[in-house]
Amino acid sequence: MSGIHVLVINGPNLNLLGTREPQTYGYDTLSDVEEKCKRAAEAAGGRCSTFQSNYEGAIVERIHHAKADGVDGIVINAGAYTHTSVAIRDALLGVTIPFIELHISNVHARESFRHHSYLSDKAVAVVCGLGVSGYDYCVTHVCKTFKKRE
């Protein structure tokens, strides 16, 4: 299949979108977000796969498999693991697939422990505070600007 293949990864508690703190995260469900990502990729001439897990090891494993799956770019909302996981950072660096770090809320306007990210310094870009619309922007950006991996 031609076009960029983008993988959207969501970390812990993002399966609760739509019901968890809607004043912060909105009312769209994870399923809504995943469908919007797939439509955004299609509109930009690419394709999108999605993955969510509450388990760090499962996220690491999915990142490892991304290279064999022909993924050209990753959009990752690692949730709380953003602030704690050297393992996810190392997995992303290990597969050498460019990635965008994404957060629904503005993490810099929240608790101080959320201000540090183990991913930001290696990400192509960091998007935060745009609500779930950030996913559409990120997926579209990956499809339009990232290079097809060989």
Side-chain angles (χ1 to χ4, degrees):
M1 176 179 243
S2 62
I4 295 293
H5 180 188
V6 58
L7 170 62
V8 176
I9 298 174
N10 282 291
N13 299 311
L14 289 158
N15 57 303
L16 300 177
L17 282 177
T19 60
R20 175 189 174 212
E21 301 175 73
Q23 68 282 5
T24 300
Y25 299 107
Y27 291 95
D28 285 325
T29 66
L30 180 59
S31 180
D32 295 336
V33 169
E34 290 174 339
E35 282 305 311
K36 288 178 185 180
C37 287
K38 290 174 183 177
R39 285 195 303 270
E42 264 184 40
R47 66 185 174 108
C48 180
S49 301
T50 60
F51 179 80
Q52 188 278 329
S53 181
N54 294 316
Y55 301 100
E56 183 179 30
I59 295 168
V60 168
E61 287 291 325
R62 183 61 187 99
I63 293 166
H64 288 177
H65 292 295
K67 198 167 198 171
D69 292 346
V71 169
D72 301 301
I74 295 172
V75 174
I76 183 166
N77 182 346
Y81 289 138
T82 302
H83 320 293
T84 64
S85 183
V86 174
I88 290 174
R89 173 193 173 92
D90 287 349
L92 287 163
L93 295 177
V95 297
T96 65
I97 297 172
F99 69 94
I100 296 176
E101 176 184 342
L102 169 68
H103 302 283
I104 295 168
S105 67
N106 179 356
V107 293
H108 303 290
R110 297 183 64 193
E111 304 93 340
S112 62
F113 68 84
R114 295 186 195 275
H115 299 176
H116 178 265
S117 166
Y118 280 99
L119 310 179
S120 295
D121 66 319
K122 299 300 181 184
V124 171
V126 178
V127 173
C128 67
L130 298 179
V132 296
S133 296
Y135 284 93
D136 298 353
Y137 299 130
C138 290
V139 168
T140 299
H141 182 78
V142 169
C143 289
K144 289 186 174 185
T145 66
F146 282 27
K147 303 281 186 237
K148 190 90 177 123
R149 296 178 56 83
E150 298 182 21

